[in-house]
């Protein structure tokens, strides 16, 4: 109780299966006494491109633009654009980050990747000497909840779906010090029966009930590539 959750949601249609998963998470976690904030990226028309518009005021080096350096310098002097400051504040306050999205091309949709690119800047999420277990966002949990187009069997033939999670869970979350819970994957909701979809939604509700008792995964290459 009293935990703060940020759900970063990337789907265009509220009536979609992802929309249903979002609704369940908001309802279930609120019922538990958590305070839940949703960043609905499409509804917010979130800008995914990392550009110089993310820096307010002077540039550190106006001769040659380097996004990483400029956002780091801007973060230190409080010169990041308003939309980034707002998202960083939500992240800062959250105990748990849930990312809800459909898998696109073995990865997250561009709008969500853009959120990662722009929000998790150096100085805020990590520092050169403070990464992985030493990352700046320690004591936070994350969970990737997503839907796929292909069935579980299809993914099994092509290699474990865990491989796809390495860049997202390990390369972004773990890099920033965030602990990672087991992903929640709904395989091919479009291609299954209404009954099966209901079962998937029920499974998500059930999982959320005991979420705070879960242990994070062991963020080692073995988990992904064994």
């Amino acid at each position: 109780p009293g935990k703060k959750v940020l759900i970063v949601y990337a789907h265009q249609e509220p009536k979609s299966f992802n929309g249903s998963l979002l609704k369940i998470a908001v309802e279930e976690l609120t019922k538990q006494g958590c305070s839940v904030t949703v960043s609905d990226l499409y509804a917010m028309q979130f800008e995914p491109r990392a550009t110089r518009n993310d820096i307010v005021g002077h540039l550190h080096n106006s001769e040659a633009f380097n996004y990483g350096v400029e956002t780091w310098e801007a973060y230190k002097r409080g010169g990041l654009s308003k939309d980034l400051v707002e998202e960083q504040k939500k992240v800062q306050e959250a105990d748990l980050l849930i990312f809800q999205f459909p898998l696109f091309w073995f990865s997250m949709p561009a709008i969500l990747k853009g959120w990662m690119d722009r929000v998790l800047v150096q100085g805020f999420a990590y520092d050169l000497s403070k990464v992985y277990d030493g990352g700046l966002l320690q004591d936070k949990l994350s969970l990737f909840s997503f839907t796929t187009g292909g069935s579980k069997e299809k993914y099994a033939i092509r290699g474990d779906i865990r491989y796809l999670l390495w860049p997202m869970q390990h390369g972004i979350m773990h890099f920033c010090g965030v602990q990672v819970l087991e992903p929640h994957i709904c395989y091919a909701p479009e291609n299954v029966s209404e009954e099966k979809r209901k079962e998937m939604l029920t499974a998500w509700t059930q999982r959320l009930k005991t979420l705070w008792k879960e242990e994070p995964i062991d963020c080692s290459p073995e988990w992904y590539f064994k």
Side-chain angles (χ1 to χ4, degrees), residues 8 13 15 28 51 61-62 64 66 82 112 114 120 123 127-128 138 150 168 178 180 182 190 192 202 206 211 224:
V8 186
E13 174 51 65
K15 297 195 287 285
E28 183 52 45
T51 69
N61 175 359
S62 52
N66 178 320
K82 185 166 160 285
L112 178 54
L120 304 175
D127 235 318
L128 293 183
Q138 287 168 57
M168 298 190 251
V178 180
V180 180
E182 196 76 44
E190 279 184 34
V192 299
T202 306
Q206 289 309 117
L211 199 63
Y224 296 91

Side-chain angles (χ1 to χ4, degrees), residues 58-212:
H58 69 275
L59 290 179
H60 178 67
N61 175 359
S62 52
E63 298 299 304
F65 184 74
N66 178 320
Y67 187 80
V69 170
E70 292 296 345
T71 48
W72 184 29
E73 292 295 336
Y75 177 74
K76 287 190 286 195
R77 63 175 169 82
L80 286 173
S81 62
K82 185 166 160 285
D83 59 338
L84 294 194
V85 174
E86 281 170 9
E87 293 306 299
Q88 287 175 345
K89 189 165 180 287
K90 294 176 196 174
V91 171
Q92 197 71 65
E93 290 175 354
D95 299 298
L96 167 66
L97 308 169
I98 296 178
F99 299 99
Q100 182 64 58
F101 60 97
L103 198 69
F104 282 6
W105 293 118
F106 278 27
S107 187
M108 58 185 95
I111 200 165
L112 178 54
K113 177 59 166 58
W115 185 94
M116 304 279 184
D117 292 350
R118 295 179 64 227
V119 175
L120 304 175
V121 303
Q122 187 175 340
F124 170 68
Y126 68 94
D127 235 318
L128 293 183
S129 59
K130 299 187 175 97
V131 294
Y132 293 115
D133 294 338
L136 299 177
L137 299 180
Q138 287 168 57
D139 307 326
K140 295 188 190 299
L141 290 169
S142 63
L143 192 166
F144 285 83
S145 169
F146 60 93
T147 58
T148 68
S151 65
K152 195 169 187 174
E153 296 70 40
K154 282 244 170 64
Y155 277 95
I157 301 163
R158 306 262 184 257
D160 202 305
I161 198 160
R162 285 185 174 197
Y163 301 163
L164 315 185
L165 295 164
W166 173 257
M168 298 190 251
Q169 293 184 164
H170 179 75
I172 303 175
M173 285 297 116
H174 185 206
F175 187 85
C176 297
V178 180
Q179 294 190 305
V180 180
L181 294 173
E182 196 76 44
H184 198 84
I185 309 170
C186 291
Y187 289 96
E190 279 184 34
N191 304 334
V192 299
S193 65
E194 190 56 42
E195 197 177 328
K196 191 90 187 82
R197 276 198 289 275
K198 284 205 178 99
E199 280 170 26
M200 286 180 182
L201 296 175
T202 306
W204 179 225
T205 310
Q206 289 309 117
R207 179 170 178 196
L208 289 163
K209 286 185 194 305
T210 55
L211 199 63
W212 301 105

